[in-house]
Amino acid sequence: LDIKLKPQESTIITINTEDLQPKIATEYFINFSVITKTEKPFIPKGFSVAHDQFKIPIKQLEKKQPTIFGDDLIIKEDDNEIIISSNNVKFVYDKTKHYITSYNVNNEEYIHDSFGFQPNFWRPPSDNDYGNGEPSRQQCWKDMSHNFYPDDHPSYSFNSKERRAELSIMYNLWNGRKYQIDYHIYCNGVLTVNLYYWFCSVWDDLPDMPRIGLRFRIPVEFNNAEYFGRGPEENYWDRYLDARVDRYRTSVDHMYYPYVRPQENGHHIDV
């Protein structure tokens, strides 16, 4: 667009979007950039002075239910493990460690050194956290991330209609709190995980929770990352308008920045 405006002036432009049709898993955006036409002192020609992005209100089509291929999963249990497996899938829960130790699909292991999915309520403290005393104040949550025990024997079954094995584990936490993890392992190897947290029914002095989720280790070879969201630079809920929504490909190494003091790294919102 070739637009000439003086300071404090404005104009209205019309962009035709009638050719854009709703699709499955598709969103439309318009990107605007203000680009220098000539070279200025310290500013080269073609430099982006400002930019913005607007989402076009076109509703996505509903996703179709995929057909699940693969052999039926068989669930076996012995004194030490619960094993969910087929010719191409293997998913192992260790009854002594109380967490998943193997997730293997088509001979590709996704868990490194048997360090599988574990309840986690802690994150590395940042510079701001040290300033407000968070590491010592919330130490109990770090302890709970390392000391967790099932409330009862894990329950499991095979859902023939959904073509998936279902494994549910309930963990006891401090002062009546509970944490439930439901694993759905499909016959094609796809895994979905649902988490549920129950707080205690009485008021206590337990401090706020730094984080809730799971922690696990993956092989170092899994170094590539692809995401649809805001980027490419890291962004947060209170600092994101400069980051455009797009489909990005990068590496895990590239998402790390060596701050002088510990800070969060590689965070992206609207993913």
Side-chain angles (χ1 to χ4, degrees):
L1 299 175
D2 188 8
I3 300 175
K4 296 181 180 180
L5 295 173
K6 295 180 180 180
Q8 304 300 316
E9 288 186 344
S10 64
T11 188
I12 297 176
I13 61 174
T14 301
I15 298 177
N16 188 0
T17 61
E18 294 180 354
D19 294 338
L20 302 179
Q21 299 298 321
K23 297 180 181 179
I24 297 175
T26 301
E27 298 180 25
Y28 294 97
F29 295 84
I30 296 180
N31 296 327
F32 291 95
S33 296
V34 179
I35 306 296
T36 55
K37 294 183 177 181
T38 59
E39 185 173 350
K40 302 291 184 180
F42 308 109
I43 302 178
K45 179 181 178 180
F47 181 79
S48 177
V49 178
H51 67 82
D52 207 342
Q53 182 181 65
F54 300 90
K55 184 177 180 179
I56 303 176
I58 298 178
K59 187 177 181 180
Q60 301 181 48
L61 298 179
E62 293 186 3
K63 294 182 180 180
K64 297 179 180 179
Q65 189 69 24
T67 302
I68 305 299
F69 296 98
D71 298 333
D72 284 347
L73 295 164
I74 299 174
I75 306 176
K76 295 181 179 181
E77 181 178 2
D78 56 30
D79 293 338
N80 299 316
E81 296 176 327
I82 297 174
I83 302 175
I84 301 171
S85 64
S86 67
N87 290 332
N88 301 317
V89 180
K90 187 176 182 180
F91 193 77
V92 179
Y93 170 77
D94 192 303
K95 296 162 66 175
T96 59
K97 294 181 177 179
H98 311 302
Y99 57 79
I100 305 301
T101 54
S102 179
Y103 171 38
N104 191 300
V105 181
N106 295 325
N107 295 320
E108 185 82 69
E109 180 59 58
Y110 290 90
I111 292 178
H112 175 67
D113 200 25
S114 300
F115 194 95
F117 312 113
Q118 304 174 33
N120 183 58
F121 313 100
W122 185 254
R123 59 176 174 79
S126 66
D127 188 46
N128 289 339
D129 296 326
Y130 283 108
N132 63 40
E134 184 259 12
S136 58
R137 185 180 69 254
Q138 298 178 333
Q139 182 67 29
C140 57
W141 291 109
K142 184 177 183 180
D143 295 338
M144 273 188 272
S145 300
H146 294 274
N147 301 297
F148 48 84
Y149 302 95
D151 179 56
D152 200 354
H153 189 276
S155 61
Y156 53 82
S157 62
F158 181 75
N159 188 327
S160 57
K161 180 181 179 181
E162 300 292 339
R163 302 213 66 224
R164 70 188 186 196
E166 300 175 354
L167 174 65
S168 181
I169 308 165
M170 178 76 79
Y171 293 97
N172 277 325
L173 303 178
W174 190 81
N175 198 14
R177 290 169 172 80
K178 294 182 182 295
Y179 196 53
Q180 179 179 333
I181 306 178
D182 290 346
Y183 299 100
H184 293 167
I185 308 97
Y186 290 84
C187 293
N188 58 3
V190 172
L191 172 68
T192 62
V193 183
N194 296 313
L195 307 177
Y196 306 91
Y197 171 76
W198 283 270
F199 55 87
C200 62
S201 57
V202 296
W203 177 261
D204 57 26
D205 295 327
L206 201 64
D208 54 302
M209 187 187 303
R211 175 171 290 177
I212 184 169
L214 297 172
R215 65 188 183 111
F216 55 96
R217 296 173 183 165
I218 60 176
V220 68
E221 294 81 12
F222 295 171
N223 189 48
N224 296 322
E226 182 176 354
Y227 64 93
F228 177 74
R230 292 189 179 272
E233 64 276 359
E234 60 186 27
N235 48 87
Y236 303 88
W237 69 271
D238 58 349
R239 185 179 63 79
Y240 64 89
L241 293 179
D242 62 325
R244 289 179 176 177
V245 175
D246 205 340
R247 183 174 180 176
Y248 295 97
R249 293 179 177 88
T250 184
S251 67
V252 176
D253 293 335
H254 187 72
M255 297 173 74
Y256 169 76
Y257 188 86
Y259 291 106
V260 176
R261 293 279 291 176
Q263 303 292 340
E264 295 185 17
N265 272 264
H267 190 273
H268 299 272
I269 71 167
D270 294 337
V271 174

